[in-house]
Amino acid sequence: MTRYAPTPEELLEIATGVARDAAATAYRMRAEGVAVAATKSTVTDVVTAADRAVERQVLEALAKLRPDDAVLGEEYGAGEPTAAASGVRWVLDPIDGTVNYLYGLPHCAVSLAAEVDGEVVAGVVRNLVTGEEWTATAGGGAWRDGQRLRCSDESDLGQALVATGFGYDAARRAHQARVVAELIPHVRDIRRFGAAALDLCLAAEGRVDAYYEKGLAAWDQAAGGLVAAEAGLRVTGLRGRPAGPDLVLAAPPALFQALHDRLADLDASGGP
Ligand code: IPD
Ligand code: CA
Ligand code: CA
């Protein structure tokens, strides 16, 4: 029997509807008050009731709309089935930027991507406070609010505004801080906004020139990584490796080599 493969556009339409409802739930729960429900990898790696409620809502919505698909979510993991008969797997960060969410800072998002046979083909990142929404399909470009996105054409590392982030583990953060301390004299400036998916989307439209971070999980980078790549950024790891937990580097083609080489010299993918 031949499997009916949904198009990236069909998957994006589902992703967008589900992410909008999820963002509305997170926004409403924020207005009602938010508290730490538990901690995860370290005492500062928090989860709120909203992280869990949003993930459950998305799981239920996808189970209705796409019952044969797999879902990987940050809070509840891979669930069942782990490999989908349909070939489609959804990758969800219910709230990216949870610390911002906890503190009432308007920089947090729902991130939802669809993979077909292991390749991300559609993704949406929706800022749950501002309503800004970035979307992309493989080969179909990156978009925000009807505008096609193109990354920065900056070529001078000394002029580049570079976003980054830090993990929750203290030893990892210390290494990341050393890398930033060595990088900052060579760039225009550094930004640390606190939501990896949004960092990638900001790079997609040149609101920062580039972004890098060690230690991202699949749900941090799936949707935003596609948005960035479709906007023309090179999204990779160091030394020819794919983007992944060791490093995600998203840089415009003209800036890529200079930033890549500097990060490789600083061992940005190393440390704990
Ligand atoms: C975190 C944010 C942060 C990044 C961390 C992520 P969370 O995700 O994206 O900006 O620096 O690496 O873990 O915990 O808010 O979903
Ligand atoms: Ca995240
Ligand atoms: Ca999260």
Side-chain angles (χ1 to χ4, degrees):
M1 199 178 78
T2 39
R3 193 174 78 191
Y4 168 71
T7 65
E9 291 69 29
E10 288 169 329
L11 292 168
L12 180 64
E13 199 180 323
I14 292 169
T16 306
V18 170
R20 283 182 190 166
D21 291 346
T25 297
Y27 184 80
R28 180 179 46 74
M29 290 185 78
R30 182 71 191 72
E32 289 164 1
V34 61
V36 173
T39 58
K40 296 189 285 187
S41 60
T42 72
V43 288
T44 53
D45 183 5
V46 297
V47 57
T48 70
D51 293 88
R52 291 171 174 169
V54 169
E55 185 154 324
R56 279 197 301 271
Q57 178 177 319
V58 171
L59 292 173
E60 279 164 25
L62 290 175
K64 279 199 193 110
L65 295 164
R66 300 272 321 164
D68 295 331
D69 297 352
V71 185
L72 172 68
E74 177 175 13
E75 309 305 338
Y76 295 109
E80 290 292 335
T82 47
S86 63
V88 176
R89 182 175 80 153
W90 299 88
V91 183
L92 169 70
D93 193 335
I95 299 179
D96 186 41
T98 294
V99 174
N100 287 340
Y101 184 78
L102 185 65
Y103 279 75
L105 298 171
H107 202 74
C108 36
V110 175
S111 170
L112 181 61
E115 295 174 345
V116 174
D117 297 331
E119 291 290 316
V120 181
V121 300
V124 57
V125 177
R126 185 176 177 94
N127 182 316
L128 60 93
V129 181
T130 66
E132 289 170 296
E133 184 180 272
W134 294 263
T135 60
T137 51
W143 301 80
R144 178 169 67 79
D145 306 327
Q147 297 271 17
R148 188 155 187 172
L149 304 179
R150 182 75 210 157
C151 66
S152 149
D153 58 8
E154 186 57 65
S155 59
D156 178 356
L157 186 59
Q159 296 291 316
L161 186 61
V162 179
T164 191
F166 306 108
Y168 291 108
D169 174 73
R172 172 166 294 171
R173 295 165 75 82
H175 179 76
Q176 289 173 314
R178 282 191 288 274
V179 173
V180 170
E182 294 287 329
L183 181 64
I184 200 167
H186 303 283
V187 297
R188 179 191 293 272
D189 210 343
I190 292 289
R191 291 291 180 272
R192 196 300 192 238
F193 294 116
L198 289 172
D199 292 337
L200 286 158
C201 292
L202 293 179
E205 54 182 297
R207 286 158 85 182
V208 294
D209 292 302
Y211 163 74
Y212 77 92
E213 184 167 345
K214 176 188 162 81
L216 293 191
W219 46 80
D220 295 311
Q221 75 170 79
L226 181 65
V227 171
E230 286 292 328
L233 292 125
R234 285 182 65 183
V235 182
T236 71
L238 291 184
R239 303 180 188 89
R241 290 171 65 89
D246 286 350
L247 200 81
V248 174
L249 167 60
L255 197 61
F256 179 83
Q257 206 60 48
L259 182 55
H260 170 280
D261 293 354
R262 183 64 72 173
L263 291 171
D265 284 351
L266 296 173
D267 193 25
S269 61

